[in-house]
Amino acid sequence: MNKIKLALLGLALGSTVAVAGECVSPEQPGMPEGAAATMEQMLAGQKAVKEFQAANLEYMGCLEPQLNAARDAAAAGSKEDEATYQKLEESYNGAVSKEEEVAAQFNTAIRAYKTANPS
């Protein structure tokens, strides 16, 4: 019975890895130059950031099932499975970091815009 479970887990992980290739990390949007931007450019930047965030959430959602499967397989003890898990975890954490970076950059642009364009 254990051999069957391991074989099925291997098949599941193998198909999950194939799905990993289908998970596409979104490109970071360009940021408006806050101090020199127009209101329209700032609004376009805001829209681009929101679209990036939605695409990034979709990317992380795509990674989650394979991350969970790889974690479970790594718990079974294979070094190859642990390496796969670590790569997936790095990809997921990188996506979180990228989103935080984009938000910070846009907030900086907003502050610069407000400083250059007081009400």
PDB file of all heavy atoms in Angstrom, residues 12-28:
ATOM      1  N   ALA A  12       1.431  12.606  -9.032  1.00  0.00           N
ATOM      2  CA  ALA A  12       0.821  13.906  -8.743  1.00  0.00           C
ATOM      3  C   ALA A  12       1.869  15.003  -8.757  1.00  0.00           C
ATOM      4  O   ALA A  12       1.663  16.072  -9.322  1.00  0.00           O
ATOM      5  CB  ALA A  12       0.115  13.872  -7.390  1.00  0.00           C
ATOM      6  N   LEU A  13       3.008  14.741  -8.158  1.00  0.00           N
ATOM      7  CA  LEU A  13       4.069  15.735  -8.131  1.00  0.00           C
ATOM      8  C   LEU A  13       4.605  15.972  -9.529  1.00  0.00           C
ATOM      9  O   LEU A  13       4.848  17.102  -9.929  1.00  0.00           O
ATOM     10  CB  LEU A  13       5.207  15.307  -7.196  1.00  0.00           C
ATOM     11  CG  LEU A  13       6.323  16.338  -7.004  1.00  0.00           C
ATOM     12  CD1 LEU A  13       5.758  17.643  -6.459  1.00  0.00           C
ATOM     13  CD2 LEU A  13       7.384  15.797  -6.082  1.00  0.00           C
ATOM     14  N   GLY A  14       4.742  14.926 -10.297  1.00  0.00           N
ATOM     15  CA  GLY A  14       5.214  15.075 -11.672  1.00  0.00           C
ATOM     16  C   GLY A  14       4.267  15.932 -12.485  1.00  0.00           C
ATOM     17  O   GLY A  14       4.689  16.807 -13.229  1.00  0.00           O
ATOM     18  N   SER A  15       2.968  15.717 -12.331  1.00  0.00           N
ATOM     19  CA  SER A  15       2.020  16.535 -13.074  1.00  0.00           C
ATOM     20  C   SER A  15       1.982  17.947 -12.517  1.00  0.00           C
ATOM     21  O   SER A  15       1.760  18.898 -13.241  1.00  0.00           O
ATOM     22  CB  SER A  15       0.624  15.907 -13.037  1.00  0.00           C
ATOM     23  OG  SER A  15       0.125  15.866 -11.727  1.00  0.00           O
ATOM     24  N   THR A  16       2.247  18.092 -11.236  1.00  0.00           N
ATOM     25  CA  THR A  16       2.292  19.423 -10.638  1.00  0.00           C
ATOM     26  C   THR A  16       3.472  20.202 -11.177  1.00  0.00           C
ATOM     27  O   THR A  16       3.361  21.382 -11.451  1.00  0.00           O
ATOM     28  CB  THR A  16       2.386  19.313  -9.096  1.00  0.00           C
ATOM     29  OG1 THR A  16       1.273  18.568  -8.648  1.00  0.00           O
ATOM     30  CG2 THR A  16       2.391  20.658  -8.444  1.00  0.00           C
ATOM     31  N   VAL A  17       4.596  19.534 -11.351  1.00  0.00           N
ATOM     32  CA  VAL A  17       5.757  20.215 -11.889  1.00  0.00           C
ATOM     33  C   VAL A  17       5.456  20.693 -13.308  1.00  0.00           C
ATOM     34  O   VAL A  17       5.849  21.780 -13.705  1.00  0.00           O
ATOM     35  CB  VAL A  17       7.005  19.304 -11.842  1.00  0.00           C
ATOM     36  CG1 VAL A  17       8.150  19.915 -12.603  1.00  0.00           C
ATOM     37  CG2 VAL A  17       7.407  19.055 -10.393  1.00  0.00           C
ATOM     38  N   ALA A  18       4.709  19.910 -14.060  1.00  0.00           N
ATOM     39  CA  ALA A  18       4.321  20.344 -15.400  1.00  0.00           C
ATOM     40  C   ALA A  18       3.465  21.591 -15.309  1.00  0.00           C
ATOM     41  O   ALA A  18       3.591  22.510 -16.100  1.00  0.00           O
ATOM     42  CB  ALA A  18       3.577  19.229 -16.119  1.00  0.00           C
ATOM     43  N   VAL A  19       2.582  21.640 -14.318  1.00  0.00           N
ATOM     44  CA  VAL A  19       1.759  22.820 -14.121  1.00  0.00           C
ATOM     45  C   VAL A  19       2.632  24.005 -13.737  1.00  0.00           C
ATOM     46  O   VAL A  19       2.356  25.135 -14.109  1.00  0.00           O
ATOM     47  CB  VAL A  19       0.672  22.560 -13.039  1.00  0.00           C
ATOM     48  CG1 VAL A  19      -0.046  23.829 -12.665  1.00  0.00           C
ATOM     49  CG2 VAL A  19      -0.315  21.520 -13.522  1.00  0.00           C
ATOM     50  N   ALA A  20       3.737  23.779 -13.038  1.00  0.00           N
ATOM     51  CA  ALA A  20       4.627  24.862 -12.629  1.00  0.00           C
ATOM     52  C   ALA A  20       5.109  25.631 -13.835  1.00  0.00           C
ATOM     53  O   ALA A  20       5.242  26.843 -13.781  1.00  0.00           O
ATOM     54  CB  ALA A  20       5.812  24.308 -11.848  1.00  0.00           C
ATOM     55  N   GLY A  21       5.359  24.935 -14.906  1.00  0.00           N
ATOM     56  CA  GLY A  21       5.792  25.608 -16.107  1.00  0.00           C
ATOM     57  C   GLY A  21       4.715  26.514 -16.673  1.00  0.00           C
ATOM     58  O   GLY A  21       4.990  27.438 -17.423  1.00  0.00           O
ATOM     59  N   GLU A  22       3.473  26.256 -16.326  1.00  0.00           N
ATOM     60  CA  GLU A  22       2.358  27.055 -16.811  1.00  0.00           C
ATOM     61  C   GLU A  22       2.083  28.269 -15.928  1.00  0.00           C
ATOM     62  O   GLU A  22       1.358  29.157 -16.337  1.00  0.00           O
ATOM     63  CB  GLU A  22       1.108  26.182 -16.914  1.00  0.00           C
ATOM     64  CG  GLU A  22       1.261  25.069 -17.923  1.00  0.00           C
ATOM     65  CD  GLU A  22       0.121  24.077 -17.891  1.00  0.00           C
ATOM     66  OE1 GLU A  22      -0.917  24.361 -17.263  1.00  0.00           O
ATOM     67  OE2 GLU A  22       0.284  23.003 -18.483  1.00  0.00           O
ATOM     68  N   CYS A  23       2.650  28.313 -14.742  1.00  0.00           N
ATOM     69  CA  CYS A  23       2.502  29.466 -13.859  1.00  0.00           C
ATOM     70  C   CYS A  23       3.476  30.537 -14.351  1.00  0.00           C
ATOM     71  O   CYS A  23       4.677  30.302 -14.399  1.00  0.00           O
ATOM     72  CB  CYS A  23       2.839  29.104 -12.412  1.00  0.00           C
ATOM     73  SG  CYS A  23       1.754  27.864 -11.687  1.00  0.00           S
ATOM     74  N   VAL A  24       2.935  31.681 -14.710  1.00  0.00           N
ATOM     75  CA  VAL A  24       3.772  32.734 -15.270  1.00  0.00           C
ATOM     76  C   VAL A  24       3.767  33.936 -14.340  1.00  0.00           C
ATOM     77  O   VAL A  24       2.717  34.524 -14.064  1.00  0.00           O
ATOM     78  CB  VAL A  24       3.270  33.152 -16.669  1.00  0.00           C
ATOM     79  CG1 VAL A  24       4.115  34.274 -17.239  1.00  0.00           C
ATOM     80  CG2 VAL A  24       3.256  31.950 -17.601  1.00  0.00           C
ATOM     81  N   SER A  25       4.954  34.290 -13.884  1.00  0.00           N
ATOM     82  CA  SER A  25       5.111  35.456 -13.026  1.00  0.00           C
ATOM     83  C   SER A  25       4.889  36.723 -13.849  1.00  0.00           C
ATOM     84  O   SER A  25       5.494  36.889 -14.905  1.00  0.00           O
ATOM     85  CB  SER A  25       6.522  35.459 -12.425  1.00  0.00           C
ATOM     86  OG  SER A  25       6.722  36.608 -11.638  1.00  0.00           O
ATOM     87  N   PRO A  26       4.021  37.618 -13.375  1.00  0.00           N
ATOM     88  CA  PRO A  26       3.762  38.836 -14.146  1.00  0.00           C
ATOM     89  C   PRO A  26       4.942  39.809 -14.094  1.00  0.00           C
ATOM     90  O   PRO A  26       5.710  39.818 -13.131  1.00  0.00           O
ATOM     91  CB  PRO A  26       2.535  39.436 -13.462  1.00  0.00           C
ATOM     92  CG  PRO A  26       2.607  38.950 -12.058  1.00  0.00           C
ATOM     93  CD  PRO A  26       3.234  37.569 -12.145  1.00  0.00           C
ATOM     94  N   GLU A  27       5.058  40.596 -15.142  1.00  0.00           N
ATOM     95  CA  GLU A  27       6.077  41.634 -15.184  1.00  0.00           C
ATOM     96  C   GLU A  27       5.665  42.792 -14.286  1.00  0.00           C
ATOM     97  O   GLU A  27       4.490  43.149 -14.230  1.00  0.00           O
ATOM     98  CB  GLU A  27       6.259  42.149 -16.610  1.00  0.00           C
ATOM     99  CG  GLU A  27       6.842  41.138 -17.566  1.00  0.00           C
ATOM    100  CD  GLU A  27       8.290  40.810 -17.263  1.00  0.00           C
ATOM    101  OE1 GLU A  27       9.051  41.720 -16.889  1.00  0.00           O
ATOM    102  OE2 GLU A  27       8.650  39.622 -17.388  1.00  0.00           O
ATOM    103  N   GLN A  28       6.655  43.378 -13.614  1.00  0.00           N
ATOM    104  CA  GLN A  28       6.370  44.550 -12.806  1.00  0.00           C
ATOM    105  C   GLN A  28       6.014  45.717 -13.724  1.00  0.00           C
ATOM    106  O   GLN A  28       6.649  45.905 -14.757  1.00  0.00           O
ATOM    107  CB  GLN A  28       7.597  44.917 -11.962  1.00  0.00           C
ATOM    108  CG  GLN A  28       7.845  43.966 -10.816  1.00  0.00           C
ATOM    109  CD  GLN A  28       9.014  44.389  -9.969  1.00  0.00           C
ATOM    110  OE1 GLN A  28      10.029  43.728  -9.970  1.00  0.00           O
ATOM    111  NE2 GLN A  28       8.883  45.490  -9.256  1.00  0.00           N
TER     112      GLN A  28
END
